[in-house]
Amino acid sequence: MEHVTLTTERLLLRPFAPADTDEVSAACQDPGIQRWTTVPSPYTREDAALFVGRIAPGTWRDGTEYSFAVRLRDPDGGEGPLVGAASLHHPSSGTWEIGYWTAAGHRGRGYTTETVRALARWGFGSLACTRLEWRAEVGNTASRAVAERSGFTMEGVLRAGILNKGTLRDCWVGSLLPHDLGMPSRDTYLPARGTPTPYDTPA
């Protein structure tokens, strides 16, 4: 897929570039990011350079993961500092998974919720996504709070649902559907407890 840039009221989301290396390296020194995500620990500048220079561009090319650098928008339309990262990955039968981290100095301001909603809308509109999944290790309450504020429905716990740094861990799982954001779905959805509503009709 060609590179895509997304904007929100406060943020700019674009594919990672080599110029992001130092800010990614600095952000990923945070113990929380290393604990709760799959980034290497310890995290070096070489890890950041590998990610922004090879891994992220490679997964864009093969369509398996779309990673975005999340930056504040300058009033003049330029780029501000790196706020975090977000991606859609692991596509399977119309389902994509979302992941994200937020730099320590930018937490608590709603940036990640804003990011998740923008990325979800893009996925539903451009990737033929019919279900967006969020997963996080049980105990990652900050990530869960973002998912819930973004409209995800919590569905339960998956035993050994995440492999992180060589260890299988139980994880929470939640889902977001197009109609949760007022968008049409590619396929008709018949909930177990009722019949489809008008917004479940394919566009």
Side-chain angles (χ1 to χ4, degrees):
M1 175 180 286
E2 294 294 326
H3 281 185
V4 172
T5 297
L6 307 175
T7 58
T8 69
E9 181 180 353
R10 299 180 294 173
L11 304 171
L12 181 144
L13 287 66
R14 60 151 174 79
F16 280 96
D20 300 317
T21 300
D22 288 337
E23 285 178 282
V24 170
S25 178
C28 289
Q29 300 311 306
D30 180 72
I33 291 177
Q34 292 187 23
R35 167 63 181 88
W36 295 113
T37 76
T38 58
V39 304
S41 181
Y43 196 89
T44 67
R45 189 181 188 282
E46 288 70 29
D47 292 320
L50 176 64
F51 173 71
V52 303
R54 293 182 56 190
I55 295 174
T59 57
W60 266 90
R61 284 193 299 271
D62 63 27
T64 57
E65 180 167 0
Y66 300 113
S67 297
F68 291 82
V70 181
R71 291 184 169 275
L72 291 179
R73 293 174 63 187
D74 280 343
D76 61 3
E79 294 186 7
L82 183 73
V83 168
S87 72
L88 297 182
H89 51 269
H90 295 152
S92 177
S93 301
T95 295
W96 289 75
E97 185 177 334
I98 193 165
Y100 44 82
W101 54 256
T102 310
H106 297 285
R107 294 171 187 160
R109 303 176 190 178
Y111 294 143
T112 310
T113 300
E114 195 171 320
T115 296
V116 169
R117 288 175 178 164
L119 208 50
R121 288 185 176 279
W122 178 70
F124 291 140
S126 299
L127 300 181
C129 177
T130 56
R131 172 183 162 91
L132 188 59
E133 285 190 355
W134 161 87
R135 300 184 186 203
E137 183 182 338
V138 172
N140 190 350
T141 55
S143 182
R144 178 168 177 153
V146 168
E148 290 178 330
R149 285 194 298 268
S150 301
F152 280 77
T153 295
M154 296 297 117
E155 296 181 335
V157 174
L158 299 179
R159 295 188 303 161
I162 287 180
L163 179 64
N164 189 1
K165 301 174 181 66
T167 301
L168 287 168
R169 304 170 186 270
D170 293 345
C171 72
W172 288 316
V173 62
S175 69
L176 188 72
L177 304 181
H179 76 252
D180 295 330
L181 298 180
M183 299 178 68
S185 177
R186 182 184 65 176
D187 301 304
T188 299
Y189 168 46
L190 179 62
R193 292 190 295 271
T195 56
T197 53
Y199 47 64
D200 296 315
T201 303

